[in-house]
């Protein structure tokens, strides 16, 4: 199969859909991979490395998008949508529940859109979202610690404190992959960390892992308010796969937080978990609203793009090999977890959660594939 890997054009997005090592695996399997020139240049994956791995170099985005299977990282940007064509397979992160306009345009393109973030494994986990969640969770603490510095609008709190001075208070909403890795990083800095979730088994598991260093609380409105008022840094990491994030933090709550405290909303890809959250970019990552510094970058892992690209290819490569080797229809029929990644099929929404959030008609993937 012909596989196209375009260069990402979202603000400061330096990840690339496949590493040279991934290309080598695909070409060894008999596939032809077209990588847009300079797609991985900023993270040390030169055109020469891709050529050595067996890729062909596409001189333009149009050349890369001429392939029947497109493998990339982020959702198509406005200038990329006209390059898509009917019955083309797009395999990438989409996060469509937060973007009805993009959803409509992709439906009009009549492509087959498989979203990394809704693919599941045999245990029901999210194997293609997990690596970026690991990266984002760790970056969230780095970004939050930086935003807390006075020069960046924060309250001047050092998360780890120093001898004789109390550490900063970190509140993490959601004990999934993002929240767990954020907790690990914050504890490593010496912060006072509380992690909230609605799953008591998950909280027990993390209590066993981290012990007394980590405080855990059941997530309900009163407890969130109580802890948010004391926090120097809040990390929002709640997830409903394929759906908009729930708004756990109201504007009224933000108004009562400590002046110049920080909110890092990792859920912004799915609309954000605070009423005051709106997407930002790496070029302009923060804004202040109601006296609180908001960091809401919609492609956080791009800050560590080399690490993120390697982690992503490790996870996606088996699926790319399956789609390219069996054909997209047979690959989806053979793998129920991959089939859950099917968000759009030839002008129809095929993910129930997405359709419910956007109030679009929905057809089941099983029926669509027949």
């Amino acid at each position: 199969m012909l596989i196209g890997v375009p260069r990402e054009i979202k603000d400061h997005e330096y990840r690339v859909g496949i590493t040279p090592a991934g290309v080598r695996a695909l070409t060894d399997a008999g596939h032809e991979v077209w990588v847009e020139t300079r797609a991985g240049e900023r993270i040390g994956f030169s055109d020469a490395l891709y050529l050595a791995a067996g890729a062909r170099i596409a001189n333009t985005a149009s050349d890369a998008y001429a392939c029947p299977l497109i493998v990339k990282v982020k959702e198509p940007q406005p200038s990329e949508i006209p390059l898509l064509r009917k019955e083309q397979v797009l395999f990438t992160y989409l996060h469509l529940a937060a973007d009805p306009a993009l959803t409509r345009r992709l439906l009009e393109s009549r492509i087959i859109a498989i979203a990394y973030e809704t693919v599941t494994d045999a245990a029901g986990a999210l194997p293609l979202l997990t690596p970026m969640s690991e990266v984002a969770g760790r970056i969230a603490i780095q970004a939050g610690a930086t935003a807390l510095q006075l020069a960046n609008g924060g309250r001047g709190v050092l998360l780890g404190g120093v001898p004789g001075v109390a550490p900063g208070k970190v509140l993490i909403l959601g004990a999934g992959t993002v929240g767990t890795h954020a907790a690990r990083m914050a504890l490593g800095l010496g912060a006072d960390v509380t992690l909230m979730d609605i799953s008591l088994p998950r909280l027990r598991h993390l209590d066993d892992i981290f012990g007394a260093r980590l405080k855990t609380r059941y997530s309900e409105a009163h407890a969130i308010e109580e802890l948010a008022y004391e926090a120097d840094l809040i990390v929002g990491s709640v997830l409903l796969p394929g759906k908009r994030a729930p708004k756990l933090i109201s504007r009224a709550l933000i108004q009562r937080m400590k002046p110049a405290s920080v909110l890092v909303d990792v859920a912004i890809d799915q609309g954000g978990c605070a009423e005051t959250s709106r997407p930002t970019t790496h070029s302009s990552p923060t804004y202040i609203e109601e006296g609180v510094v908001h960091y809401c970058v919609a492609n956080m892992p791009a800050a560590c793009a080399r690490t993120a690209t390697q982690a992503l290819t490790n996870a996606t490569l088996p699926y790319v090999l399956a789609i390219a080797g069996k054909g997209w229809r047979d690959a989806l029929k053979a793998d129920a977890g991959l089939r859950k990644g099917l968000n759009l099929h030839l002008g129809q929404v095929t993910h129930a959660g997405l359709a419910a959030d956007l109030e679009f008609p929905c057809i089941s993937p099983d029926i669509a594939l027949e």
Side-chain angles (χ1 to χ4, degrees):
M1 178 178 276
L2 290 173
I3 302 165
V5 183
R7 180 166 57 88
E8 300 293 328
I9 60 173
K10 190 164 184 162
D11 182 77
H12 280 71
E13 183 54 80
Y14 303 118
R15 289 174 290 180
V16 61
I18 303 176
T19 62
V23 167
R24 174 67 181 273
L26 288 164
T27 56
D28 284 351
H31 305 294
E32 190 171 314
V33 184
W34 285 80
V35 179
E36 185 178 349
T37 184
R38 301 171 57 204
E41 183 179 63
R42 286 294 301 272
I43 57 173
F45 298 144
S46 65
D47 287 356
L49 285 176
Y50 279 110
L51 285 168
R56 298 195 178 192
I57 301 301
N59 291 323
T60 66
S62 295
D63 292 337
Y65 274 98
C67 299
L69 171 59
I70 302 300
V71 178
K72 62 193 306 293
V73 180
K74 291 303 291 179
E75 72 282 353
Q77 303 302 292
S79 64
E80 295 175 301
I81 293 175
L83 302 176
L84 297 170
R85 53 189 175 81
K86 182 180 176 181
E87 298 186 1
Q88 191 171 44
V89 179
L90 175 65
F91 194 34
T92 189
Y93 289 113
L94 287 170
H95 299 290
L96 294 176
D99 198 338
L102 174 60
T103 305
R104 290 190 187 93
R105 294 197 66 185
L106 293 180
L107 286 170
E108 290 167 1
S109 298
R110 296 182 64 81
I111 62 170
I112 295 95
I114 306 172
Y116 292 159
E117 70 272 11
T118 59
V119 172
T120 64
D121 60 20
L126 303 169
L128 306 189
L129 186 61
T130 294
M132 295 305 95
S133 296
E134 292 168 340
V135 174
R138 294 178 182 226
I139 289 176
I141 299 303
Q142 295 181 181
T146 300
L148 273 171
Q149 295 174 12
L150 280 169
N152 298 318
R155 23 191 344 258
V157 170
L158 182 65
L159 283 183
V162 292
V165 180
K169 291 181 178 289
V170 177
L171 172 62
I172 301 170
L173 303 177
T177 303
V178 171
T180 300
H181 283 262
R184 186 183 301 276
M185 289 291 283
L187 290 169
L189 290 175
D192 179 343
V193 184
T194 301
L195 181 60
M196 305 188 77
D197 202 273
I198 59 173
S199 170
L200 289 175
R202 181 63 179 170
L203 293 179
R204 291 188 183 103
H205 174 68
L206 294 176
D207 183 73
D208 288 340
I209 292 174
F210 294 111
R213 294 187 301 151
L214 177 67
K215 301 172 184 175
T216 59
R217 288 285 296 273
Y218 184 78
S219 184
E220 44 84 15
H222 178 78
I224 291 173
E225 291 178 3
E226 174 190 324
L227 293 167
Y229 299 152
E230 300 175 356
D232 299 297
L233 167 62
I234 296 178
V235 175
S237 61
V238 292
L239 174 69
L240 299 175
K243 293 178 64 64
R244 289 195 193 99
K247 299 294 185 186
L248 299 182
I249 303 173
S250 67
R251 181 174 291 274
L253 191 157
I254 291 283
Q255 290 170 344
R256 295 180 61 186
M257 286 174 61
K258 293 177 182 177
S261 55
V262 173
L263 167 66
V264 176
D265 197 341
V266 187
I268 195 64
D269 270 338
Q270 296 293 128
C273 63
E275 290 182 348
T276 49
S277 293
R278 59 180 184 269
T280 61
T281 66
H282 287 291
S283 294
S284 183
T286 63
Y287 60 90
I288 297 175
E289 187 150 343
E290 306 292 2
V292 172
V293 182
H294 290 60
Y295 180 100
C296 303
V297 174
N299 58 331
M300 288 177 59
C304 300
R306 184 177 173 91
T307 296
T309 294
Q310 291 170 313
L312 181 60
T313 297
N314 290 343
T316 58
L317 183 59
Y319 293 93
V320 178
L321 284 164
I323 294 169
K326 299 176 182 178
W328 65 269
R329 189 180 298 274
D330 286 344
L332 288 168
K333 286 183 175 181
D335 187 336
L338 181 60
R339 200 156 60 244
K340 288 185 178 180
L342 185 64
N343 280 206
L344 309 177
H345 177 271
L346 302 178
Q348 296 177 300
V349 176
T350 51
H351 187 279
L354 170 63
D357 275 352
L358 299 185
E359 299 182 347
F360 284 5
C362 183
I363 183 172
S364 80
D366 294 333
I367 293 174
L369 293 173
E370 292 301 326

